[in-house]
Amino acid sequence: ILFGEDFSSEEPWITMRNKLGLSSTISCEALFEMFNSQGALNNYNVIILIDALNETTNRSNWKKWLPVLKEKIRNYSNLKLCVSCRDTFINDVFEEENDWLKISHNGLNNDKLYVKEAYINEGPVMKRMIFDSRGHVGRNDRRTSHVTVVVAEK
């Protein structure tokens, strides 16, 4: 999953490659071929999910990026593209909205929801070493927590 805010002025596949920590020598075709091969090898589809296109700094870039990205991905049988955008920004992001399968989600109705339970449990401890003077080593335990909030309808 990638987020709209991760994208700037460079091509989307470059951002994908960089977010995955892959070499800058990998081309768009090589990147998509890696995704497709992984899907074929494991007998499943690899879904590139880009959430909140509207949160991209210059969201109008998607008007030129999406058709190209969609066409490139169409060449790979085990590679799929899924994007999300707030309906108030559809015209800023999509040139031809009708070319996409559209599913609307009305969000959550805050009037009907309440916090049923909320609790914090101890999480894993990350053990770190602190190097001290004269060759001494001390421990610095970084404790984490699991926060659970259960929401229910009234």
Side-chain angles (χ1 to χ4, degrees):
I1 185 168
L2 299 158
F3 301 102
E5 65 189 33
D6 295 333
F7 295 86
S8 58
S9 58
E10 58 192 10
E11 295 285 330
W13 70 269
I14 295 173
T15 302
M16 291 177 207
R17 180 190 67 198
N18 294 344
K19 293 294 279 182
L20 291 170
L22 300 173
S23 168
S24 61
T25 60
I26 294 175
S27 68
C28 177
E29 289 73 22
L31 178 68
F32 290 162
E33 186 55 46
M34 285 191 298
F35 292 157
N36 191 61
S37 298
Q38 188 66 30
L41 183 68
N42 293 298
N43 200 27
Y44 60 77
N45 289 324
V46 173
I47 300 171
I48 297 173
L49 175 58
I50 307 173
D51 185 31
L53 297 179
N54 52 283
E55 292 181 7
T56 303
T57 305
N58 187 0
R59 61 181 156 260
S60 63
N61 281 339
W62 289 109
K63 284 187 175 189
K64 64 181 177 194
W65 290 341
L66 280 176
V68 174
L69 194 58
K70 185 177 172 184
E71 276 307 307
K72 287 183 180 184
I73 288 174
R74 199 174 260 158
N75 296 324
Y76 301 95
S77 60
N78 292 91
L79 192 54
K80 307 297 179 204
L81 177 64
C82 179
V83 297
S84 75
C85 178
R86 288 194 182 268
D87 59 356
T88 52
F89 297 101
I90 292 284
N91 293 332
D92 295 348
V93 172
F94 291 93
E95 189 68 46
E96 288 295 325
E97 176 188 350
N98 296 332
D99 291 345
W100 294 80
L101 172 64
K102 184 177 174 183
I103 299 172
S104 294
H105 181 291
N106 295 326
L108 299 173
N109 185 347
N110 293 337
D111 296 337
K112 293 183 179 181
L113 298 177
Y114 72 98
V115 176
K116 183 177 180 180
E117 296 176 49
Y119 50 91
I120 300 173
N121 289 328
E122 187 175 329
V125 176
M126 296 185 290
K127 297 174 182 154
R128 301 288 186 256
M129 298 167 75
I130 295 179
F131 298 98
D132 204 356
S133 62
R134 294 178 285 161
H136 294 206
V137 178
R139 257 181 62 182
N140 181 13
D141 292 345
R142 294 187 181 181
R143 301 190 180 279
T144 62
S145 302
H146 292 289
V147 178
T148 303
V149 178
V150 179
V151 179
E153 286 191 51
K154 293 179 183 176

